[in-house]
Amino acid sequence: GINAEYMVSTQSTWALSPFGRIFTRLGAADRLIEGKSTFFVELEETLAVVQEATSDSLVILDELGRGTSTYDGVAIAYSVLRFIAENIRCKCFFSTHYH
């Protein structure tokens, strides 16, 4: 690998990504030892995304609201997507099984 201590740049600036941060929430698993269901973990992770993401972020969310009733799942997915679109205004990949 490259040893960063000896890497010399002739450029005045470096850009590794067009995004400030990349957030993903893909799949989920429970943490029963902590008393957290899969749904609880999913919502915790989603909360972290909406609290930390900025307009320079890339957000990737998959299957939000899965494991809930149809109406609850649609409401969660719609609300999160709308919040991201209207308030954070970042690039976002959002997939859901609700049609």
Side-chain angles (χ1 to χ4, degrees):
I2 297 173
N3 187 341
E5 291 178 38
Y6 299 106
M7 199 164 74
V8 177
S9 170
T10 57
Q11 296 180 346
S12 59
T13 62
W14 280 78
L16 299 177
S17 170
F19 304 107
R21 289 177 73 182
I22 299 172
F23 296 89
T24 61
R25 213 237 37 91
L26 306 167
D30 61 49
R31 289 191 228 137
L32 295 179
I33 199 90
E34 298 174 31
K36 297 177 180 179
S37 67
T38 303
F39 179 65
F40 189 89
V41 171
E42 178 181 287
L43 291 183
E44 270 189 333
E45 293 171 351
T46 302
L47 177 63
V49 169
V50 298
Q51 286 180 330
E52 300 293 327
T54 68
S55 60
D56 293 326
S57 299
L58 170 64
V59 172
I60 303 169
L61 298 172
D62 178 48
E63 296 292 342
L64 216 77
R66 193 181 64 179
T68 64
S69 70
T70 300
Y71 293 114
D72 291 344
V74 168
I76 292 166
Y78 175 80
S79 297
V80 170
L81 181 58
R82 185 171 177 176
F83 183 85
I84 289 170
E86 293 179 356
N87 296 288
I88 300 172
R89 302 177 58 97
C90 63
K91 302 285 189 274
C92 179
F93 291 103
F94 191 96
S95 69
T96 182
H97 62 288
Y98 301 109
H99 309 232

Coordinates of all heavy atoms in Angstrom, one line a residue:
G1 N 0.8 -1.2 0.0 CA 0.0 0.0 0.0 C 0.9 1.2 0.0 O 2.1 1.2 0.1
I2 N 0.2 2.4 -0.1 CA 0.9 3.7 -0.1 C 1.1 4.1 1.4 O 0.1 4.1 2.1 CB 0.1 4.7 -0.9 CG1 0.0 4.3 -2.3 CG2 0.7 6.1 -0.8 CD1 -0.9 5.1 -3.1
N3 N 2.2 4.5 1.7 CA 2.5 5.1 3.0 C 2.2 6.6 2.9 O 3.0 7.3 2.3 CB 3.9 4.8 3.5 CG 4.2 5.2 4.9 OD1 3.5 6.0 5.4 ND2 5.2 4.7 5.5
A4 N 1.2 7.1 3.6 CA 0.8 8.4 3.5 C 1.8 9.4 4.0 O 1.9 10.6 3.6 CB -0.5 8.7 4.3
E5 N 2.7 9.0 4.9 CA 3.8 9.9 5.4 C 4.7 10.4 4.3 O 5.3 11.4 4.4 CB 4.6 9.1 6.4 CG 3.9 8.9 7.7 CD 4.8 8.1 8.7 OE1 6.0 8.4 8.8 OE2 4.2 7.2 9.4
Y6 N 4.9 9.6 3.3 CA 5.8 9.9 2.2 C 5.2 10.3 0.9 O 5.8 10.5 -0.1 CB 6.7 8.7 1.9 CG 7.5 8.3 3.2 CD1 7.2 7.2 3.9 CD2 8.6 9.1 3.6 CE1 7.9 6.8 5.0 CE2 9.3 8.8 4.7 CZ 8.9 7.6 5.4 OH 9.6 7.3 6.6
M7 N 3.9 10.5 0.9 CA 3.1 10.9 -0.3 C 3.2 12.4 -0.4 O 2.9 13.2 0.5 CB 1.7 10.5 -0.2 CG 1.0 10.5 -1.5 SD -0.6 9.5 -1.4 CE -1.6 10.6 -0.5
V8 N 3.7 12.9 -1.5 CA 3.9 14.3 -1.7 C 2.9 14.8 -2.8 O 2.7 14.1 -3.8 CB 5.3 14.7 -2.2 CG1 5.5 16.1 -2.5 CG2 6.3 14.2 -1.1
S9 N 2.3 15.9 -2.6 CA 1.3 16.4 -3.5 C 1.8 17.7 -4.2 O 2.4 18.5 -3.6 CB 0.0 16.8 -2.8 OG -0.8 17.5 -3.7
T10 N 1.6 17.8 -5.5 CA 2.0 19.0 -6.3 C 0.7 19.8 -6.5 O 0.8 20.9 -7.0 CB 2.6 18.6 -7.6 OG1 1.7 17.8 -8.4 CG2 3.9 17.9 -7.4
Q11 N -0.4 19.3 -6.1 CA -1.7 20.1 -6.2 C -1.9 20.9 -4.9 O -1.5 20.5 -3.8 CB -2.8 19.1 -6.4 CG -2.8 18.3 -7.6 CD -4.0 17.4 -7.8 OE1 -4.7 17.2 -6.8 NE2 -4.2 16.9 -9.0
S12 N -2.6 22.0 -5.1 CA -2.9 22.8 -3.9 C -4.1 22.3 -3.1 O -4.2 22.6 -1.9 CB -3.1 24.3 -4.3 OG -4.2 24.3 -5.2
T13 N -5.0 21.6 -3.8 CA -6.1 21.0 -3.1 C -6.4 19.6 -3.5 O -6.0 19.2 -4.6 CB -7.4 21.8 -3.4 OG1 -7.7 21.8 -4.8 CG2 -7.3 23.3 -2.9
W14 N -7.0 18.8 -2.7 CA -7.3 17.4 -3.0 C -8.8 17.2 -2.8 O -9.4 17.8 -1.8 CB -6.6 16.5 -2.0 CG -5.2 16.2 -2.4 CD1 -4.1 17.1 -2.2 CD2 -4.7 15.1 -3.1 NE1 -3.0 16.5 -2.7 CE2 -3.3 15.3 -3.3 CE3 -5.3 14.0 -3.6 CZ2 -2.5 14.4 -3.9 CZ3 -4.5 13.0 -4.3 CH2 -3.1 13.3 -4.4
A15 N -9.4 16.5 -3.6 CA -10.8 16.1 -3.5 C -11.0 14.6 -3.7 O -10.7 14.1 -4.8 CB -11.7 16.9 -4.5
L16 N -11.4 13.9 -2.7 CA -11.6 12.5 -2.8 C -13.0 12.1 -3.2 O -13.3 11.1 -3.7 CB -11.2 11.8 -1.5 CG -9.8 12.0 -1.1 CD1 -9.5 11.4 0.3 CD2 -8.8 11.4 -2.1
S17 N -14.0 13.0 -2.9 CA -15.4 12.7 -3.1 C -16.1 14.0 -3.4 O -15.8 15.0 -2.8 CB -15.9 12.0 -1.9 OG -17.3 11.9 -2.0
P18 N -17.1 14.0 -4.2 CA -17.9 15.2 -4.4 C -18.9 15.4 -3.2 O -19.6 16.3 -3.2 CB -18.7 14.9 -5.7 CG -18.8 13.4 -5.8 CD -17.5 12.9 -5.2
F19 N -18.9 14.4 -2.3 CA -19.8 14.5 -1.1 C -19.0 14.7 0.2 O -17.9 14.2 0.4 CB -20.6 13.2 -1.0 CG -21.3 12.9 -2.2 CD1 -20.9 11.9 -3.1 CD2 -22.4 13.6 -2.6 CE1 -21.6 11.6 -4.2 CE2 -23.1 13.4 -3.8 CZ -22.7 12.3 -4.6
G20 N -19.6 15.5 1.1 CA -19.0 15.7 2.4 C -19.0 14.5 3.2 O -18.0 14.1 3.8
R21 N -20.1 13.8 3.2 CA -20.2 12.5 3.9 C -21.2 11.6 3.1 O -22.1 12.1 2.5 CB -20.7 12.7 5.3 CG -19.7 13.4 6.2 CD -20.3 13.6 7.6 NE -20.4 12.4 8.4 CZ -20.9 12.3 9.6 NH1 -21.3 13.4 10.2 NH2 -21.0 11.2 10.2
I22 N -21.0 10.3 3.3 CA -21.9 9.4 2.7 C -22.6 8.6 3.8 O -21.9 8.0 4.6 CB -21.2 8.4 1.7 CG1 -20.6 9.2 0.6 CG2 -22.1 7.4 1.2 CD1 -19.6 8.4 -0.3
F23 N -23.9 8.6 3.8 CA -24.7 7.9 4.8 C -25.5 6.7 4.1 O -26.1 6.9 3.1 CB -25.7 8.8 5.4 CG -25.1 9.9 6.2 CD1 -24.8 11.1 5.6 CD2 -24.9 9.8 7.6 CE1 -24.3 12.2 6.3 CE2 -24.3 10.8 8.3 CZ -24.0 12.0 7.7
T24 N -25.4 5.6 4.8 CA -26.2 4.4 4.3 C -27.0 3.8 5.4 O -26.6 3.8 6.5 CB -25.3 3.3 3.7 OG1 -24.5 2.8 4.7 CG2 -24.5 3.8 2.5
R25 N -28.2 3.4 5.0 CA -29.0 2.6 6.0 C -29.6 1.5 5.1 O -30.6 1.6 4.4 CB -30.2 3.5 6.6 CG -30.5 3.0 8.0 CD -31.9 2.7 8.3 NE -32.7 2.0 7.3 CZ -32.7 0.6 7.1 NH1 -32.1 -0.2 7.9 NH2 -33.5 0.1 6.2
L26 N -28.9 0.4 5.1 CA -29.3 -0.8 4.3 C -29.4 -2.0 5.2 O -28.5 -2.3 5.9 CB -28.2 -1.1 3.2 CG -27.8 0.1 2.3 CD1 -26.5 -0.2 1.6 CD2 -28.9 0.4 1.4
G27 N -30.6 -2.6 5.2 CA -30.8 -3.7 6.0 C -30.7 -3.3 7.5 O -30.4 -2.2 7.8
A28 N -31.1 -4.2 8.3 CA -31.0 -4.0 9.8 C -31.1 -5.3 10.5 O -31.6 -6.3 9.9 CB -32.1 -3.1 10.2
A29 N -30.6 -5.3 11.6 CA -30.6 -6.5 12.5 C -31.0 -6.1 13.9 O -30.7 -4.9 14.3 CB -29.3 -7.3 12.5
D30 N -31.6 -6.9 14.6 CA -31.9 -6.5 16.0 C -30.7 -6.6 16.9 O -29.7 -7.1 16.5 CB -33.0 -7.5 16.6 CG -32.6 -8.9 16.6 OD1 -31.5 -9.2 17.1 OD2 -33.3 -9.8 16.2
R31 N -30.8 -5.9 18.0 CA -29.8 -6.0 19.0 C -30.5 -6.3 20.3 O -30.7 -5.5 21.2 CB -29.1 -4.6 19.1 CG -28.2 -4.4 18.0 CD -27.3 -3.2 18.2 NE -27.4 -2.3 17.0 CZ -27.5 -1.0 17.0 NH1 -27.5 -0.4 18.2 NH2 -27.5 -0.3 15.9
L32 N -31.0 -7.5 20.4 CA -31.8 -8.0 21.5 C -31.1 -7.9 22.8 O -31.7 -7.6 23.9 CB -32.4 -9.4 21.2 CG -33.4 -9.5 20.1 CD1 -33.8 -10.9 19.9 CD2 -34.5 -8.5 20.2
I33 N -29.8 -8.1 22.8 CA -29.1 -8.0 24.0 C -29.2 -6.6 24.6 O -29.1 -6.4 25.8 CB -27.6 -8.4 23.8 CG1 -26.9 -8.8 25.2 CG2 -26.8 -7.4 23.1 CD1 -27.1 -10.2 25.5
E34 N -29.4 -5.6 23.7 CA -29.6 -4.2 24.2 C -31.0 -3.9 24.3 O -31.4 -2.7 24.6 CB -28.9 -3.3 23.2 CG -27.4 -3.4 23.0 CD -26.9 -2.5 21.9 OE1 -27.4 -1.5 21.7 OE2 -25.9 -3.0 21.3
G35 N -31.9 -4.8 24.1 CA -33.3 -4.6 24.1 C -33.9 -3.8 23.0 O -34.9 -3.2 23.1
K36 N -33.2 -3.9 21.8 CA -33.6 -3.2 20.6 C -34.1 -4.1 19.5 O -33.3 -5.0 19.1 CB -32.5 -2.3 20.1 CG -32.1 -1.3 21.1 CD -30.9 -0.5 20.6 CE -30.5 0.6 21.7 NZ -29.3 1.3 21.2
S37 N -35.3 -3.9 19.0 CA -35.8 -4.7 17.9 C -35.2 -4.2 16.6 O -34.6 -3.2 16.5 CB -37.4 -4.5 17.8 OG -37.7 -3.2 17.5
T38 N -35.4 -5.0 15.5 CA -34.9 -4.6 14.2 C -35.5 -3.2 13.8 O -34.8 -2.3 13.3 CB -35.3 -5.6 13.2 OG1 -34.8 -6.9 13.6 CG2 -34.8 -5.3 11.8
F39 N -36.8 -3.0 14.1 CA -37.5 -1.8 13.8 C -36.9 -0.6 14.5 O -36.6 0.5 14.0 CB -39.0 -1.9 14.1 CG -39.8 -0.7 13.8 CD1 -39.9 -0.2 12.5 CD2 -40.4 0.0 14.8 CE1 -40.6 1.0 12.2 CE2 -41.1 1.2 14.6 CZ -41.2 1.7 13.3
F40 N -36.6 -0.8 15.8 CA -36.0 0.2 16.6 C -34.6 0.6 16.1 O -34.3 1.8 16.0 CB -35.9 -0.3 18.1 CG -35.5 0.8 19.1 CD1 -36.4 1.6 19.7 CD2 -34.1 1.0 19.4 CE1 -36.0 2.6 20.6 CE2 -33.7 2.0 20.2 CZ -34.7 2.8 20.8
V41 N -33.8 -0.4 15.8 CA -32.5 -0.2 15.2 C -32.6 0.6 13.9 O -31.8 1.6 13.7 CB -31.7 -1.5 15.0 CG1 -30.4 -1.2 14.3 CG2 -31.4 -2.1 16.4
E42 N -33.5 0.2 13.1 CA -33.7 0.9 11.8 C -34.0 2.4 12.0 O -33.5 3.3 11.4 CB -34.9 0.3 11.0 CG -35.2 0.9 9.7 CD -36.4 0.2 9.0 OE1 -36.2 -0.9 8.5 OE2 -37.5 0.8 9.0
L43 N -34.9 2.7 13.0 CA -35.3 4.1 13.3 C -34.1 4.8 13.9 O -33.9 6.0 13.6 CB -36.5 4.1 14.2 CG -37.8 3.7 13.5 CD1 -39.0 3.8 14.4 CD2 -38.1 4.4 12.2
E44 N -33.3 4.2 14.7 CA -32.1 4.8 15.3 C -31.2 5.3 14.2 O -30.6 6.4 14.2 CB -31.4 3.9 16.2 CG -31.8 3.9 17.7 CD -30.9 3.1 18.5 OE1 -30.3 2.1 18.1 OE2 -30.8 3.5 19.7
E45 N -30.9 4.3 13.3 CA -30.0 4.6 12.2 C -30.5 5.7 11.3 O -29.8 6.6 10.8 CB -29.7 3.4 11.4 CG -29.0 2.3 12.1 CD -28.9 1.0 11.4 OE1 -29.6 0.8 10.4 OE2 -28.2 0.1 11.9
T46 N -31.8 5.7 11.0 CA -32.5 6.8 10.2 C -32.4 8.1 10.9 O -32.1 9.1 10.2 CB -33.9 6.4 9.9 OG1 -33.9 5.1 9.2 CG2 -34.6 7.4 9.0
L47 N -32.6 8.1 12.2 CA -32.5 9.4 12.9 C -31.1 10.0 12.8 O -30.9 11.2 12.6 CB -32.8 9.1 14.4 CG -32.7 10.3 15.3 CD1 -33.6 11.5 15.0 CD2 -32.9 9.9 16.8
A48 N -30.1 9.1 12.9 CA -28.7 9.6 12.8 C -28.5 10.2 11.4 O -27.8 11.2 11.3 CB -27.7 8.4 13.0
V49 N -29.0 9.6 10.4 CA -28.9 10.1 9.0 C -29.5 11.5 8.9 O -28.9 12.5 8.4 CB -29.5 9.2 8.0 CG1 -29.6 9.9 6.6 CG2 -28.7 7.9 7.9
V50 N -30.8 11.7 9.3 CA -31.4 13.0 9.2 C -30.9 14.0 10.1 O -31.0 15.2 9.8 CB -33.0 12.9 9.3 CG1 -33.6 12.0 8.3 CG2 -33.4 12.4 10.7
Q51 N -30.2 13.7 11.2 CA -29.6 14.6 12.1 C -28.3 15.1 11.6 O -27.9 16.2 11.8 CB -29.5 14.1 13.5 CG -30.8 14.0 14.3 CD -30.5 13.4 15.7 OE1 -29.7 12.6 15.9 NE2 -31.4 13.9 16.6
E52 N -27.5 14.2 10.9 CA -26.1 14.5 10.5 C -26.0 14.9 9.1 O -25.0 15.5 8.7 CB -25.3 13.3 10.8 CG -25.2 12.9 12.3 CD -24.6 13.9 13.2 OE1 -23.6 14.5 12.7 OE2 -25.0 14.0 14.3
A53 N -26.8 14.5 8.2 CA -26.7 14.8 6.8 C -26.8 16.3 6.5 O -27.5 17.0 7.2 CB -27.7 14.0 5.9
T54 N -26.1 16.7 5.5 CA -26.1 18.1 5.0 C -26.4 18.1 3.5 O -26.5 17.0 2.9 CB -24.8 18.9 5.3 OG1 -23.8 18.3 4.4 CG2 -24.4 18.8 6.7
S55 N -26.5 19.3 2.9 CA -26.8 19.4 1.5 C -25.6 18.8 0.7 O -25.8 18.5 -0.5 CB -27.1 20.8 1.1 OG -26.0 21.6 1.4
D56 N -24.5 18.7 1.3 CA -23.3 18.1 0.6 C -23.2 16.6 0.8 O -22.2 16.0 0.3 CB -22.0 18.7 1.1 CG -21.9 20.2 0.8 OD1 -22.4 20.6 -0.3 OD2 -21.4 21.0 1.6
S57 N -24.2 16.0 1.4 CA -24.1 14.5 1.7 C -24.7 13.7 0.6 O -25.5 14.2 -0.2 CB -24.8 14.2 3.0 OG -24.3 14.9 4.1
L58 N -24.4 12.4 0.6 CA -25.1 11.4 -0.2 C -25.7 10.5 0.8 O -25.1 10.0 1.7 CB -24.1 10.6 -1.1 CG -24.7 9.4 -1.8 CD1 -25.8 9.8 -2.8 CD2 -23.6 8.6 -2.5
V59 N -27.0 10.3 0.6 CA -27.8 9.4 1.5 C -28.4 8.3 0.7 O -29.0 8.5 -0.4 CB -28.9 10.2 2.2 CG1 -29.8 9.3 3.0 CG2 -28.4 11.3 3.1
I60 N -28.2 7.1 1.2 CA -28.7 5.8 0.6 C -29.5 5.1 1.6 O -29.0 4.7 2.6 CB -27.5 4.9 0.1 CG1 -26.6 5.7 -0.9 CG2 -28.1 3.7 -0.6 CD1 -25.3 5.0 -1.2
L61 N -30.8 5.0 1.3 CA -31.8 4.4 2.2 C -32.5 3.3 1.5 O -33.0 3.5 0.4 CB -32.8 5.4 2.8 CG -32.2 6.5 3.6 CD1 -33.3 7.6 3.9 CD2 -31.6 6.0 4.9
D62 N -32.6 2.2 2.2 CA -33.3 1.0 1.6 C -34.3 0.4 2.5 O -34.0 0.2 3.7 CB -32.2 -0.1 1.2 CG -32.8 -1.3 0.6 OD1 -33.6 -1.2 -0.3 OD2 -32.4 -2.4 1.1
E63 N -35.5 0.1 2.0 CA -36.5 -0.6 2.7 C -36.9 0.0 4.0 O -37.0 -0.7 5.0 CB -36.1 -2.1 2.9 CG -36.0 -2.8 1.6 CD -37.3 -3.1 0.9 OE1 -38.4 -2.9 1.5 OE2 -37.2 -3.4 -0.3
L64 N -37.0 1.3 4.1 CA -37.4 2.0 5.3 C -38.9 1.6 5.6 O -39.7 1.6 4.8 CB -37.4 3.5 5.1 CG -36.9 4.3 6.3 CD1 -35.4 4.1 6.4 CD2 -37.3 5.7 6.2
G65 N -39.1 1.3 6.9 CA -40.5 0.9 7.3 C -40.9 -0.5 7.1 O -42.0 -0.9 7.4
R66 N -39.9 -1.3 6.7 CA -40.2 -2.7 6.5 C -40.5 -3.4 7.8 O -39.9 -3.0 8.8 CB -39.0 -3.4 5.8 CG -39.3 -4.8 5.3 CD -38.1 -5.4 4.7 NE -37.1 -5.5 5.8 CZ -35.9 -6.0 5.6 NH1 -35.5 -6.4 4.4 NH2 -35.1 -6.1 6.6
G67 N -41.4 -4.3 7.9 CA -41.7 -5.0 9.1 C -42.8 -4.3 9.9 O -43.1 -4.7 11.0
T68 N -43.4 -3.3 9.3 CA -44.5 -2.6 10.0 C -45.8 -2.9 9.1 O -45.7 -3.5 8.1 CB -44.3 -1.1 10.0 OG1 -44.2 -0.6 8.6 CG2 -43.0 -0.7 10.7
S69 N -46.9 -2.4 9.6 CA -48.1 -2.5 8.8 C -47.9 -1.6 7.5 O -47.0 -0.7 7.5 CB -49.3 -2.0 9.5 OG -49.2 -0.6 9.7
T70 N -48.6 -1.9 6.5 CA -48.5 -1.2 5.2 C -48.6 0.3 5.4 O -47.7 1.1 5.0 CB -49.5 -1.6 4.2 OG1 -49.3 -3.0 4.0 CG2 -49.3 -0.9 2.9
Y71 N -49.6 0.8 6.1 CA -49.8 2.2 6.2 C -48.8 2.9 7.1 O -48.3 4.0 6.8 CB -51.2 2.5 6.8 CG -52.3 2.1 5.9 CD1 -53.2 1.1 6.2 CD2 -52.5 2.8 4.7 CE1 -54.2 0.7 5.3 CE2 -53.5 2.4 3.8 CZ -54.3 1.4 4.1 OH -55.3 1.0 3.2
D72 N -48.3 2.2 8.2 CA -47.2 2.7 9.0 C -45.9 2.8 8.2 O -45.2 3.8 8.2 CB -47.0 1.9 10.2 CG -48.2 2.0 11.2 OD1 -49.0 2.9 11.1 OD2 -48.2 1.1 12.1
G73 N -45.6 1.8 7.4 CA -44.4 1.8 6.6 C -44.4 2.8 5.6 O -43.4 3.5 5.4
V74 N -45.5 3.0 4.9 CA -45.6 4.1 3.9 C -45.5 5.4 4.5 O -44.7 6.3 4.0 CB -46.9 4.0 3.1 CG1 -47.2 5.2 2.3 CG2 -47.0 2.7 2.2
A75 N -46.1 5.6 5.7 CA -46.0 6.9 6.4 C -44.5 7.2 6.8 O -44.1 8.4 6.6 CB -46.9 6.9 7.6
I76 N -43.8 6.2 7.3 CA -42.4 6.4 7.7 C -41.6 6.7 6.5 O -40.8 7.7 6.5 CB -41.9 5.2 8.5 CG1 -42.6 5.1 9.8 CG2 -40.4 5.3 8.6 CD1 -42.4 3.7 10.5
A77 N -41.7 5.9 5.5 CA -40.9 6.1 4.2 C -41.2 7.5 3.6 O -40.2 8.2 3.3 CB -41.2 5.0 3.3
Y78 N -42.4 7.8 3.5 CA -42.8 9.1 2.8 C -42.3 10.3 3.7 O -41.7 11.2 3.1 CB -44.3 9.2 2.7 CG -44.8 10.5 2.2 CD1 -44.7 10.8 0.8 CD2 -45.3 11.5 3.0 CE1 -45.1 12.1 0.3 CE2 -45.7 12.7 2.6 CZ -45.6 13.0 1.2 OH -46.0 14.2 0.7
S79 N -42.5 10.2 5.0 CA -42.0 11.3 5.8 C -40.5 11.5 5.8 O -40.1 12.7 5.7 CB -42.5 11.0 7.3 OG -43.9 11.0 7.4
V80 N -39.8 10.5 5.9 CA -38.3 10.6 5.8 C -37.9 11.1 4.5 O -37.0 12.0 4.4 CB -37.6 9.2 6.2 CG1 -36.1 9.3 5.9 CG2 -37.9 8.8 7.6
L81 N -38.4 10.6 3.4 CA -38.0 11.0 2.1 C -38.4 12.5 1.9 O -37.6 13.3 1.4 CB -38.7 10.2 1.0 CG -38.4 10.5 -0.4 CD1 -36.8 10.5 -0.7 CD2 -39.1 9.6 -1.4
R82 N -39.6 12.9 2.3 CA -40.0 14.3 2.2 C -39.1 15.2 3.0 O -38.7 16.3 2.5 CB -41.4 14.4 2.6 CG -41.9 15.8 2.4 CD -43.4 15.9 2.6 NE -43.8 17.3 2.4 CZ -45.0 17.7 2.5 NH1 -46.0 16.9 2.7 NH2 -45.3 19.0 2.3
F83 N -38.7 14.8 4.2 CA -37.8 15.6 5.0 C -36.5 15.8 4.4 O -35.9 16.9 4.3 CB -37.6 15.0 6.4 CG -36.8 15.8 7.3 CD1 -37.4 16.8 8.1 CD2 -35.4 15.6 7.4 CE1 -36.6 17.6 8.9 CE2 -34.6 16.4 8.3 CZ -35.2 17.4 9.0
I84 N -35.9 14.7 3.8 CA -34.6 14.8 3.1 C -34.7 15.7 1.9 O -33.9 16.6 1.7 CB -34.2 13.4 2.7 CG1 -33.7 12.6 4.0 CG2 -33.0 13.5 1.7 CD1 -33.5 11.1 3.7
A85 N -35.8 15.6 1.1 CA -35.9 16.4 -0.1 C -36.2 17.9 0.2 O -35.6 18.7 -0.4 CB -37.1 15.8 -0.9
E86 N -37.0 18.2 1.2 CA -37.4 19.5 1.5 C -36.4 20.3 2.4 O -36.2 21.5 2.3 CB -38.8 19.6 2.1 CG -39.8 19.2 1.0 CD -41.2 19.3 1.6 OE1 -41.4 19.5 2.8 OE2 -42.2 19.0 0.8
N87 N -35.8 19.6 3.4 CA -35.0 20.2 4.4 C -33.5 20.0 4.2 O -32.7 21.0 4.3 CB -35.4 19.7 5.8 CG -36.8 20.1 6.1 OD1 -37.1 21.3 6.3 ND2 -37.7 19.2 6.1
I88 N -33.1 18.8 4.0 CA -31.6 18.5 3.8 C -31.2 18.9 2.4 O -30.1 19.4 2.2 CB -31.3 17.1 4.2 CG1 -31.7 16.8 5.6 CG2 -29.8 16.8 4.0 CD1 -31.6 15.4 6.0
R89 N -32.0 18.5 1.4 CA -31.7 18.8 0.0 C -30.4 18.2 -0.5 O -29.7 18.9 -1.2 CB -31.9 20.3 -0.2 CG -33.2 20.9 0.2 CD -33.3 22.3 0.0 NE -33.0 22.7 -1.4 CZ -33.9 23.0 -2.3 NH1 -35.2 22.9 -2.0 NH2 -33.5 23.3 -3.5
C90 N -30.2 17.0 -0.2 CA -28.9 16.3 -0.6 C -29.3 15.3 -1.7 O -30.4 15.1 -2.0 CB -28.3 15.6 0.6 SG -29.3 14.3 1.3
K91 N -28.2 14.8 -2.3 CA -28.4 13.7 -3.2 C -28.9 12.4 -2.4 O -28.3 12.2 -1.3 CB -27.1 13.3 -4.0 CG -26.5 14.5 -4.7 CD -27.3 14.8 -6.0 CE -26.6 15.8 -6.9 NZ -26.9 17.1 -6.6
C92 N -29.8 11.7 -3.0 CA -30.4 10.6 -2.2 C -30.8 9.5 -3.1 O -31.5 9.7 -4.1 CB -31.6 11.1 -1.4 SG -32.4 9.8 -0.4
F93 N -30.4 8.2 -2.8 CA -31.0 7.0 -3.4 C -31.9 6.5 -2.3 O -31.5 6.2 -1.2 CB -29.9 6.0 -3.7 CG -29.0 6.4 -4.8 CD1 -27.7 6.9 -4.6 CD2 -29.4 6.3 -6.1 CE1 -26.9 7.3 -5.6 CE2 -28.6 6.7 -7.2 CZ -27.3 7.2 -6.9
F94 N -33.2 6.2 -2.7 CA -34.2 5.8 -1.8 C -35.0 4.7 -2.4 O -35.6 4.9 -3.5 CB -35.1 7.0 -1.4 CG -36.1 6.7 -0.3 CD1 -35.7 7.2 1.0 CD2 -37.3 6.1 -0.5 CE1 -36.6 7.0 2.0 CE2 -38.1 5.9 0.6 CZ -37.8 6.3 1.8
S95 N -35.0 3.5 -1.8 CA -35.7 2.4 -2.4 C -36.7 1.9 -1.3 O -36.4 1.9 -0.1 CB -34.8 1.3 -2.9 OG -34.2 0.6 -1.8
T96 N -37.8 1.4 -1.8 CA -38.8 0.9 -0.9 C -39.6 -0.2 -1.6 O -39.6 -0.3 -2.8 CB -39.8 2.0 -0.3 OG1 -40.7 1.4 0.6 CG2 -40.5 2.6 -1.5
H97 N -40.2 -1.1 -0.8 CA -41.0 -2.1 -1.4 C -42.5 -1.7 -1.5 O -43.3 -2.5 -2.0 CB -40.9 -3.4 -0.6 CG -41.4 -3.3 0.8 ND1 -40.7 -2.6 1.7 CD2 -42.5 -3.8 1.4 CE1 -41.3 -2.7 2.9 NE2 -42.4 -3.4 2.7
Y98 N -42.8 -0.5 -1.1 CA -44.2 0.0 -1.2 C -44.4 0.6 -2.6 O -43.6 1.4 -3.1 CB -44.4 1.1 -0.2 CG -44.2 0.6 1.3 CD1 -43.2 1.0 2.0 CD2 -45.1 -0.3 1.8 CE1 -43.0 0.6 3.3 CE2 -45.0 -0.8 3.1 CZ -43.9 -0.3 3.8 OH -43.7 -0.8 5.1
H99 N -45.5 0.1 -3.3 CA -45.8 0.6 -4.6 C -47.1 1.3 -4.6 O -48.0 0.8 -4.0 CB -45.9 -0.5 -5.6 CG -44.7 -1.4 -5.6 ND1 -44.0 -1.7 -6.7 CD2 -44.1 -2.1 -4.6 CE1 -43.0 -2.6 -6.5 NE2 -43.1 -2.8 -5.2

